Amino acid sequence: NNQVVGVGSGSTIVYAVDRLAERVRQEKLNIVCVPTSFQLIPPISALYPPTGSAADFAAWPYAIGSGKTPR
């Protein structure tokens, strides 16, 4: 809860974000997803609002699908 998650690309990322969104709804978690590629913004936003941008956060402790903190 109260975390920022970097979201990268990959063949299974939509499934991972869908599951994360389900948990957020069920458990009333406060999590922001940060797409690390501009191509991911529309699909991630559709599945899982809220999203942030890499410019909004200096780093994030968790990443899925190569969503590493930019250096």
Side-chain angles (χ1 to χ4, degrees):
N1 200 15
N2 298 318
Q3 295 295 325
V4 178
V5 177
V7 179
S9 58
S11 60
T12 61
I13 196 63
V14 174
Y15 303 109
V17 171
D18 188 43
R19 177 65 180 126
L20 179 61
E22 182 180 317
R23 287 197 57 199
V24 166
R25 284 190 298 272
Q26 289 175 347
E27 300 172 35
K28 298 188 183 357
L29 301 174
N30 180 29
I31 296 177
V32 175
C33 284
V34 178
T36 58
S37 168
F38 71 91
Q39 293 103 335
L40 293 171
I41 294 171
I44 299 301
S45 296
L47 279 175
Y48 183 84
T51 57
S53 75
D56 296 333
F57 303 96
W60 40 87
Y62 303 102
I64 53 177
S66 300
K68 297 179 182 81
T69 301
R71 299 190 195 283

